Amino acid sequence: MSTATTIDALTMRRTIGRFATGVAVVTTLDGGEPHGMTVNSLTSVSLDPPLLLVCLTTGARTTDAVVRAGRFAVNILSARQEAIALRFARRGADHFEGLEPAYGEHDVPVVPDALAHLECTVERQFEAGDHLVVFGEVQRVCDREGEPLAFLGGRFADLTVRGHEPQHWFF
């Protein structure tokens, strides 16, 4: 059942912006051409099988390329990669101009020096509002130590670890 909403887009953006997220770049290779876009709507869905979901803008070149290719990488950016996040956020730009991507074993371009990347195959997808929700089955991961790039209230931010032992939410 759908009801009319009175929440305008700017209010929604400001309010959900109170939820701090990481910053990632989704990349793929379609027809020999690399594509990518900056995202912060990303979450782990399942550990067994390893699944994640990412929300991609409907009609964007990268979204269409991910659907056609059937595979993609999620590149989790480090605190030093704000310029990369901005580069891949520009609509219509050649995001890889002057940037030599690395390639994983699935021939998916990977952002150099990212904090982590997860190579995925498209497991399923569906439209939700102005985005395409893509579930990826994780095929390969790579990570390194470092500080992540965070996003809060429309701005890049730093994440401060409180020094406690890791808390495991699953039992």
Side-chain angles (χ1 to χ4, degrees):
M1 182 173 161
S2 178
T3 59
T5 181
T6 58
I7 300 171
D8 67 86
L10 290 176
T11 299
M12 178 64 177
R13 180 181 296 238
R14 184 190 71 243
T15 304
I16 201 66
R18 304 294 185 231
F19 183 68
T21 67
V23 182
V25 172
V26 170
T27 53
T28 193
L29 188 67
D30 179 41
E33 184 179 346
H35 295 271
M37 74 167 48
T38 301
V39 300
N40 70 337
S41 186
L42 162 70
T43 193
S44 174
V45 174
S46 171
L47 297 175
D48 186 18
L51 296 172
L52 59 77
L53 75 74
V54 62
C55 297
L56 306 176
T57 305
T58 302
R61 290 176 307 174
T62 299
T63 302
D64 295 342
V66 165
V67 170
R68 283 190 303 267
R71 61 184 183 217
F72 62 96
V74 173
N75 303 269
I76 299 173
L77 300 185
S78 76
R80 296 180 181 204
Q81 292 184 303
E82 186 175 326
I84 294 289
L86 291 171
R87 167 195 286 258
F88 282 91
R90 286 194 301 265
R91 294 177 191 246
D94 178 359
H95 300 121
F96 285 93
E97 183 178 358
L99 177 69
E100 188 63 36
Y103 286 85
E105 67 182 29
H106 299 289
D107 295 325
V108 179
V110 177
V111 173
D113 302 320
L115 193 59
H117 72 265
L118 302 97
E119 296 180 35
C120 305
T121 55
V122 174
E123 197 266 341
R124 73 181 67 168
Q125 65 199 33
F126 64 89
E127 290 184 24
D130 57 2
H131 281 70
L132 185 70
V133 180
V134 178
F135 288 80
E137 184 168 352
V138 180
Q139 305 295 318
R140 180 174 182 251
V141 298
C142 179
D143 71 307
R144 64 180 178 82
E145 292 294 320
E147 300 299 320
L149 181 60
F151 196 70
L152 176 65
R155 297 184 197 113
F156 293 110
D158 292 318
L159 178 71
T160 302
V161 177
R162 294 184 176 201
H164 304 291
E165 289 297 315
Q167 298 296 314
H168 300 286
W169 290 19
F170 50 91
F171 302 94

